[in-house]
Amino acid sequence: MGTGKEQRRTQVCDVELGAAVAHAQQGDEAAFAAAYRLVHPGLLGYVRGLVGGDAEDVASDAWLEIARDLGRFRGDGAGFRGWTATIARHRALDHLRKQKRRPRTSLIEQDVLELPGRADTEGAALESMSTERALERIAGLPPDQAEAVLLRVVVGLDGPATARVLGKRPGAVRTAAYRGLKRLAEQLGSTGRTDGVTSAAPGTLRDTT
């Protein structure tokens, strides 16, 4: 999501990821490690948005399942991001049920009308923040907006893939992400600064502080 430059960067990254996954499915451990490096930062950020301080343990459980079921995966690099996010989400919600507490973000509870795609400036505003600051601000959004933004910006999924992970209509997810990013941009505008960090590669938010 975002500018054409960011979209091209996403496409290049997902081509590399798709090749790594294909080789990993043939037993190439180095290729699996490469896929892990490309996916894990965004996946961990997403899980942290759901379970907070337990994110490392939940993400580890998710990667055990990903490694176990890798041979069953069919798709390209972008599809792999969505598949791993779905697994991570299930593990996070299982963890929260065991802990008997609500997730910091939750499922979209109702469908809403579609809105036009967000303006690039809102995505750029979020991408300008550090990982820690971004997650703090995202956690303050309404639950449906928070999870949509996490999947779109932190994991790097497109709208349809995000909708599949959440089990919702693309229009509802696009609306939630639009509103969440708009609110974040407004918050940044009210501070008069962008926290002094630069945009990051797909699936990550780079901290330069």
Side-chain angles (χ1 to χ4, degrees):
M1 63 191 299
T3 65
K5 181 179 180 180
E6 288 298 323
Q7 291 172 346
R8 288 192 295 274
R9 191 174 356 175
T10 298
Q11 292 168 354
V12 170
C13 184
D14 282 342
V15 168
E16 180 183 354
L17 176 58
V21 170
H23 285 96
Q25 288 179 312
Q26 298 172 7
D28 187 332
E29 295 183 2
F32 183 82
Y36 174 89
R37 288 193 297 271
L38 289 168
V39 172
H40 181 67
L43 199 68
L44 181 62
Y46 172 50
V47 174
R48 184 172 291 119
L50 293 173
V51 304
D54 296 330
E56 293 280 358
D57 290 341
V58 173
S60 293
D61 289 342
W63 277 106
L64 287 174
E65 184 173 343
I66 291 165
R68 184 194 69 197
D69 295 341
L70 183 63
R72 301 178 185 178
F73 171 74
R74 296 292 181 272
D76 56 11
F80 186 74
R81 287 188 193 279
W83 182 67
T84 56
T86 300
I87 291 173
R89 187 173 196 272
H90 289 165
R91 297 290 67 77
L93 295 179
D94 285 347
H95 175 80
L96 291 166
R97 280 190 287 268
K98 291 177 183 177
Q99 297 295 319
K100 296 182 179 179
R101 57 187 174 91
R102 292 177 60 82
R104 291 171 60 188
T105 61
S106 63
L107 299 173
I108 297 173
E109 296 180 353
Q110 62 180 8
D111 290 338
V112 291
L113 296 176
E114 293 188 13
L115 289 178
R118 64 168 181 80
D120 288 341
T121 53
E122 289 143 12
L126 182 59
E127 289 167 354
S128 73
M129 291 187 289
S130 69
T131 300
E132 182 178 359
R133 175 63 67 181
L135 291 175
E136 287 176 359
R137 290 188 181 274
I138 291 170
L141 295 173
D144 62 328
Q145 296 175 16
E147 193 164 14
V149 171
L150 284 167
L151 287 167
R152 292 294 304 271
V153 177
V154 179
V155 179
L157 302 185
D158 61 16
T162 298
R164 287 192 293 272
V165 171
L166 297 176
K168 296 291 179 177
R169 294 188 309 181
V173 174
R174 183 162 57 250
T175 296
Y178 171 87
R179 289 177 173 171
L181 288 166
K182 187 173 186 293
R183 180 174 297 194
L184 289 169
E186 290 169 350
Q187 290 174 1
L188 289 174
S190 68
T191 65
R193 61 190 180 89
T194 57
D195 291 27
V197 272
T198 60
S199 62
T204 65
L205 293 173
R206 182 181 304 132
D207 190 341
T208 61
T209 58

